Amino acid sequence: MSAILEHQKDLAHNLIDTLGFVRALHVANQYGWYAVAEEIMRLSPQPRPTIH
């Protein structure tokens, strides 16, 4: 994994730990950190709808 991807994952985890999921996602989107926002969504505890 590249250093940039690892950094984005670490940033996502740090934002979640300090702000919680909702605020972390908001901050990532506000700063234009879309890859970080995607990682936050991937880690979200909320169930996603299943496509059949």
Side-chain angles (χ1 to χ4, degrees):
M1 184 179 297
S2 74
I4 293 173
L5 292 175
E6 191 66 33
H7 177 71
Q8 291 170 341
K9 283 188 167 195
D10 290 342
L11 182 54
H13 285 278
N14 287 338
L15 286 172
I16 291 167
D17 289 344
T18 57
L19 303 174
F21 283 97
V22 174
R23 291 178 68 200
L25 184 60
H26 176 74
V27 167
N29 282 316
Q30 284 291 105
Y31 281 96
W33 299 335
Y34 302 115
V36 175
E38 287 179 18
E39 180 66 14
I40 292 168
M41 288 299 296
R42 189 182 71 75
L43 296 170
S44 175
Q46 296 192 5
R48 294 187 185 99
T50 304
I51 299 173
H52 291 55

